[in-house]
Each structure stands twice: as C-alpha cells, then as structure tokens.
Amino acid sequence: MSAVVGARAARFWLATLILYVVSFSPHLPLGAAENDQLEAGKLLVATDELLDPRFFESVIYLVKHDAEGTVGLIINRPVAKGSIDDLLKGFGAEPSGSQLEVIIHYGGPVSSGHGFLLHSDDKTLDKSIKAPHGLAMTSDIRMIQAIATGTGPRHFLFALGYAGWAPGQLEDEVKANSWLVVPSDNTLVFGTDPGEKRRRAMDKRQIRL
C-alpha cells in the first residue's frame, strides 16, 4: 500500500469512528437547539464555574423569561420549617387555626423580605403569573390564607425572595458556563429532598436512548 493510499485510509477510518461516537454515544450532552434554550418553564442548574455563594448548587425554576428580563425561584434551598399560622402572623395576617406546616425556601436575593408561592395553577389570583407545565407564581397573602383553610392549590412551594436578571444578563451567564439549562417536571419542582432535586436536574443534561 502506498503512503498516499494509507493516509487516505487512515483519514477515512478516523472520520468513520468520529461519526460512530457522535451518532451512537448514549451520554453526550444535548446541543443548544435541543436542551439549553432559555425559556419559561426550564430549570437552571448552577455549575462549578458559578462562584456566587447566593446560588451555590442552586436549581432554579424559570417562571418568566422575555424581553423585559427573567424571574425564577430557587427550589432546592430550604431554610426553615414552621406552622402556616406563624407564617401568616409574620406577614401581619390573622392566624387560621391550621396545623399545617410549611417549608420555607430561599428563593433568591431579590426582594428577600417578600414571600412568593410557586404552585399548581388549579388555584390562581388576579395577579398570579402563569408559567408552563400548569404552574403559576403568586405573591399575595390571600394565597397563603387559602392554603391554610384547605382551599389553595394542590401543590406549592413557598420562598422568600426571588432570582432576577436584566434583559440579556442570563444569556451571558449561560454562555460563560455558569448555568446549565435543562427541562423541568413538576415532581422534581415540588419534591422534598433538595439533594435529589439537583441530582435529577443534572441527569437531564444527557440523552437517554
């Protein structure tokens, strides 16, 4: 075999091998068109490149993402647990006599003194922000009162504060590899194990054939 023919054969087999790996590997990260498009209803997962302690190992549900900016709630940072009546009193409302306990999450660094409910949209108020997958976000004491009396949404997550980005800011952070963008599902969002939420979110980076 001549040197020219041998070089051509080597290039052919190298190209074939690369094509095989790209086409059939079950654990390659999804491309931008499939998995990392920023939009409401997706999850952000903080990478090791993100050094901001406020978002360390955070998983964020994107409630809103449009030309005005982005709003999301961290869903895996529980900070306290207490009675819903104590929560109502803390916001200046009358207690309901409910025995229900609520987990309070750190939702993000913006408006940290305000409460936000990410919840199923079977119950909404006039100022609730609708999100994909049958979810909504509400910042209104009436929704906490409804939950206390058993007339609220079936699923909910209560957080103090939220995460917010100006237009284009989050896109720059994703390009800098600070965040992974992955699909969401409601069982993950409303799960009770914060470590499990992050693991499941990280698993969504990969193609499952």
Side-chain angles (χ1 to χ4, degrees):
M1 180 183 296
S2 70
V4 173
V5 173
R8 288 176 178 172
R11 287 196 297 270
F12 171 81
W13 286 112
L14 178 59
T16 301
L17 177 61
I18 291 172
L19 179 62
Y20 176 85
V21 171
V22 170
S23 300
F24 296 99
S25 173
H27 300 298
L28 286 176
L30 291 172
E34 305 229 10
N35 195 37
D36 62 359
Q37 181 180 350
L38 278 170
E39 58 188 4
K42 290 288 183 69
L43 294 176
L44 295 179
V45 186
T47 71
D48 293 339
E49 304 293 325
L50 183 58
L51 302 180
D52 189 334
R54 299 174 301 174
F55 295 110
F56 178 70
E57 294 190 344
S58 289
V59 179
I60 297 178
Y61 179 84
L62 292 182
V63 177
K64 173 179 172 287
H65 179 75
D66 56 28
E68 297 179 349
T70 306
V71 172
L73 288 175
I74 299 174
I75 63 172
N76 68 326
R77 297 279 291 276
V79 293
K81 184 177 181 179
S83 72
I84 197 166
D85 269 4
D86 286 343
L87 189 62
L88 286 168
K89 287 187 286 186
F91 286 108
E94 288 294 322
S96 65
S98 172
Q99 301 301 310
L100 180 66
E101 288 195 326
V102 176
I103 297 173
I104 299 172
H105 294 74
Y106 167 68
V110 183
S111 297
S112 58
H114 291 80
F116 300 87
L117 281 162
L118 180 63
H119 57 90
S120 50
D121 66 2
D122 47 327
K123 171 77 174 184
T124 59
L125 299 176
D126 50 353
K127 293 185 179 180
S128 297
I129 300 174
K130 286 292 194 77
H133 313 129
L135 300 187
M137 185 179 81
T138 302
S139 180
D140 191 315
I141 192 65
R142 291 179 297 163
M143 188 64 82
I144 301 177
Q145 291 171 323
I147 292 171
T149 58
T151 60
R154 181 178 180 184
H155 302 290
F156 67 90
L157 181 150
F158 179 80
L160 289 174
Y162 69 92
W165 292 265
Q169 183 182 1
L170 184 56
E171 284 83 351
D172 290 342
E173 293 183 12
V174 170
K175 289 176 183 177
N177 197 36
S178 295
W179 300 99
L180 298 171
V181 185
V182 301
S184 178
D185 67 73
N186 292 352
T187 58
L188 187 160
V189 169
F190 296 114
T192 57
D193 184 339
E196 179 73 3
K197 286 183 181 182
R198 180 170 170 80
R199 184 194 65 77
R200 288 179 58 190
M202 293 291 281
D203 285 347
K204 290 177 177 290
R205 295 173 302 166
Q206 299 176 333
I207 301 172
R208 302 296 183 184
L209 296 181

